[in-house]
């Protein structure tokens, strides 16, 4: 199947376009926000991002094998420096909707099967994340390709969840919890774990069992 890349306009877009051309992927440069796109598979890339060699073939193969319920195919990524050095690989988990709610690990490293209505009213700033969230929010399957297919100029940081607000009745109804921590000769790791548990605001009894 055909893949269209939507590349945000900016410094480094020439590198991104050259990378896409080498992978045989058609590209459109987006200056504000895409207002139309139609049905199909789309890559959303920031200027300066590059695809790994063979990424185009890997995505086309995965899209060709995907059934009609697959909406997103995402891959692992790393950061690429101006001199081409690569660092900080992000080897991602299988699809986790709750994690995605706090950490957008799809935008910029995923192939989306979008519909015409997905492009309506996208914001000029953050349009790629908004479009990805719309597609991810529809019922369907999400597929992970466990390979570094993207070399990115930057990636978003995870957002720490805010505190959960509970009424007094809800807090009183919380059950006691036992936390079992297996360890062996991992003093510093155990310390980090226990300090984190000590900061946990849980109103019911919290039992910690360390298993050596």
């Amino acid at each position: 199947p055909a893949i269209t890349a939507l590349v945000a306009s900016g410094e480094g877009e020439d590198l991104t376009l050259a990378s896409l051309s080498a992978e045989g992927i058609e590209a459109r440069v987006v200056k504000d926000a895409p207002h139309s796109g139609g049905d199909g598979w789309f890559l959303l890339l920031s200027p300066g991002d590059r695809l790994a060699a063979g990424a185009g073939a890997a995505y086309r193969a995965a899209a060709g094998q995907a059934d009609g319920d697959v909406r997103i195919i995402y891959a692992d990524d790393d950061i690429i420096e101006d001199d081409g050095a690569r660092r900080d690989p992000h080897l991602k988990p299988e699809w986790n909707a709750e994690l995605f709610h706090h950490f957008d690990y799809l935008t910029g490293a995923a192939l989306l099967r979008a519909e015409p209505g997905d492009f309506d009213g996208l914001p000029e700033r953050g349009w790629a994340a908004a479009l990805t969230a719309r597609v991810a929010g529809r019922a369907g399957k999400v597929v992970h390709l466990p390979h570094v297919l993207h070399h990115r100029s930057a990636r978003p940081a995870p957002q720490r969840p805010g505190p959960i607000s509970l009424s007094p009745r809800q807090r009183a109804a919380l059950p006691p919890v036992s936390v079992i921590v297996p360890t062996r000769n991992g003093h510093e790791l155990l310390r980090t774990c226990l300090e984190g548990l000590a900061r946990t605001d849980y109103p019911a009894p919290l039992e910690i069992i360390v298993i050596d």
Side-chain angles (χ1 to χ4, degrees), residues 92-109:
K92 302 172 185 177
E94 294 305 303
W95 174 237
N96 184 324
E98 181 62 23
L99 176 61
F100 177 69
H101 181 69
H102 301 290
F103 180 22
D104 181 357
Y105 61 91
L106 298 183
T107 301

Side-chain angles (χ1 to χ4, degrees), residues 184-208:
R184 184 174 187 274
N185 299 334
H187 177 264
E188 290 305 317
L189 293 175
L190 180 61
R191 177 194 296 275
T192 300
C193 178
L194 296 181
E195 288 177 347
L197 290 170
R199 293 193 298 269
T200 300
D201 178 18
Y202 190 72
L206 184 66
E207 178 186 40
I208 301 173

Side-chain angles (χ1 to χ4, degrees), residues 29-201:
V29 176
V30 178
K31 295 188 179 299
D32 298 314
H35 302 294
S36 63
D39 292 299
W41 291 100
F42 295 88
L43 278 174
L44 315 180
L45 301 179
S46 297
D49 289 2
R50 284 165 260 184
L51 293 183
Y59 271 131
R60 280 188 288 268
Q65 296 168 4
D67 61 40
D69 291 333
V70 175
R71 299 297 179 189
I72 297 177
I73 302 170
Y74 69 97
D76 299 338
D77 61 65
D78 59 21
I79 299 297
I80 190 165
E81 304 286 2
D82 292 339
D83 61 1
R86 292 160 50 193
R87 59 176 174 82
D88 297 338
H90 186 188
L91 307 180
K92 302 172 185 177
E94 294 305 303
W95 174 237
N96 184 324
E98 181 62 23
L99 176 61
F100 177 69
H101 181 69
H102 301 290
F103 180 22
D104 181 357
Y105 61 91
L106 298 183
T107 301
L111 186 63
L112 311 181
R113 179 181 277 172
E115 300 175 355
D118 293 328
F119 294 86
D120 294 344
L122 290 173
E124 291 187 4
R125 295 188 63 181
W127 60 265
L131 179 55
T132 301
R134 286 183 184 180
V135 177
R138 295 204 309 269
K141 297 178 183 176
V142 179
V143 174
H144 176 214
L145 297 181
H147 306 285
V148 176
L149 300 185
H150 295 261
H151 307 315
R152 308 179 68 175
S153 57
R155 74 165 67 98
Q159 300 299 310
R160 204 173 161 186
I164 299 174
S165 178
L166 298 174
S167 68
R169 177 177 294 181
Q170 289 173 318
R171 293 175 71 87
L174 291 173
V177 169
S178 294
V179 179
I180 302 175
V181 185
T183 183
R184 184 174 187 274
N185 299 334
H187 177 264
E188 290 305 317
L189 293 175
L190 180 61
R191 177 194 296 275
T192 300
C193 178
L194 296 181
E195 288 177 347
L197 290 170
R199 293 193 298 269
T200 300
D201 178 18

